[in-house]
Amino acid sequence: MNGTRWMRAALCVALAACAAPTFAQAATTARVVDGERDEEEIKRLEEWPEPRDDRQLKIDVARLRKANTEEMGTQAHHALVAEGAAAAPALLKALGKEKGEDARERILDVLDEITGAPHTRLLAKEFDDKSDVVRVWCLTRVAAFPDAGVREAAVAALGRAENAAEKGKSSEAELFAAALCATSAGDLAGLQRLAKRAEEDWKDSGAAIRVALESVRGKEATAAYRDLLASDKRQVIVAGLRLLAGCGDRESAVPLVAPFLDNTDNTLRVAAINALRGIVDGEPPLDKLPVFEAIELAGEWKKRI
């Protein structure tokens, strides 16, 4: 990890931090070009490793939660990271019980370090945990490491969140996290909820959305977002172009994006360039392109497509 954080899953009851790979790091796990997915072999674990010392693990978790001094918290953090993934079940249990935001943050910092792609199936078992903090963190964490094997669990979690939302018992954070996870697992049920978040908060959520969308790249996902490009609202069009960068297929999405290369609005022009980078080459977006450079790149893309 290079320390970059993609997003903070904001809960009404806590601030839950979730680390995820950068675009470049994600590409080493899964790369999609012209609709074909090339995945590295990942061993998905079915059981958590056994802790070396159960008693010491309990002590370290308690120290992490209490952390009366910074040194105490640091020592507990290092001890739990050294324990590795074997500490995850105890930390998840503590996370669900913990009421203090600072303590939750310390727990999540350790969980971010000791979990990753091998643990998606194990974390999926927590999608129905009674704690919304645990549910949101697990859904968001699993979404960062796309795994078709959690699709059923993720879709079920999205359904539960939507049903709860109708009764006023589910947060926007949980709805988004479930939609993100379902999409990353290859399901289309959460696409419109991702579109809503893309329009409202691309800065904090865009990278996570982009990774999730790679799992559904194709004509169906393209069709789900094509109407966004016909909007009379600039913000909606930009969101549509950003979404298509992650899920558009070359045959049907390129003709939708191409006209925006000639747009005089540089934000739209850059969004179109970045959409084509994603659709055609599977490349990450370029940030803050100057007008003249964007015009030059747009011209190169027009020749290419």
Side-chain angles (χ1 to χ4, degrees), residues 56-205:
Q56 186 60 48
L57 176 58
K58 290 178 182 178
I59 292 173
D60 290 333
V61 171
R63 291 169 64 217
L64 184 72
R65 293 177 68 181
K66 188 174 182 180
N68 290 330
T69 65
E70 183 177 349
E71 182 180 8
M72 181 178 179
T74 300
Q75 290 175 347
H77 177 99
H78 289 324
L80 290 164
V81 169
E83 183 67 40
L91 287 167
L92 289 169
K93 184 177 180 180
L95 179 64
K97 294 179 178 180
E98 183 58 58
K99 302 300 181 184
E101 290 188 14
D102 288 345
R104 282 177 172 168
E105 187 75 11
R106 291 193 294 272
I107 293 170
L108 289 166
D109 283 343
V110 177
L111 282 168
D112 287 342
E113 289 198 44
I114 65 174
T115 60
H119 310 111
T120 51
R121 312 278 170 88
L122 298 169
L123 293 174
K125 296 177 181 179
E126 311 300 326
F127 287 172
D128 62 351
D129 191 272
K130 64 180 181 180
S131 166
D132 55 353
V133 181
V134 173
R135 294 195 303 269
V136 170
W137 183 83
C138 287
L139 285 162
T140 309
R141 187 64 174 159
V142 172
F145 305 97
D147 177 9
V150 305
R151 181 171 179 172
E152 183 177 348
V155 173
L158 178 58
R160 286 193 298 272
E162 290 176 337
N163 290 336
E166 292 177 0
K167 302 174 184 177
K169 296 181 179 180
S170 183
S171 68
E172 281 299 317
E174 183 167 3
L175 286 165
F176 172 64
L180 192 71
C181 192
T183 304
S184 77
D187 196 86
L188 304 177
L191 289 185
Q192 295 312 314
R193 196 164 296 281
L194 296 192
K196 180 175 181 290
R197 179 61 69 93
E199 182 182 344
E200 296 173 350
D201 187 20
W202 184 259
K203 181 180 179 180
D204 289 335
S205 303

Side-chain angles (χ1 to χ4, degrees), residues 20 29 37 44 52 91 123 148 158 161 177 201 205 209 231 237 243 250 265-266 279:
T29 299
R37 193 175 186 87
R44 309 282 182 173
R52 290 171 290 187
L91 287 167
L123 293 174
L158 178 58
D201 187 20
S205 303
I209 291 173
S231 174
I237 297 172
L243 291 162
R250 184 164 187 164
D265 184 324
N266 197 52
I279 294 164

Side-chain angles (χ1 to χ4, degrees), residues 229 241 244-245 252-261 271-273 275-276 279 305:
L229 303 189
L241 290 167
L244 287 175
S252 61
V254 169
L256 298 174
V257 173
F260 292 95
L261 292 172
I273 290 169
L276 291 170
I279 294 164
I305 61 177

Side-chain angles (χ1 to χ4, degrees), residues 33-36 217-220 222-223 226 244 247-258 275-276 278-281 305:
V33 180
D34 292 342
E36 294 187 5
R217 187 180 291 281
K219 292 184 178 180
E220 287 185 85
T222 299
R226 65 179 302 154
L244 287 175
C247 68
D249 76 303
R250 184 164 187 164
E251 182 180 354
S252 61
V254 169
L256 298 174
V257 173
L276 291 170
I279 294 164
V280 178
D281 295 333
I305 61 177

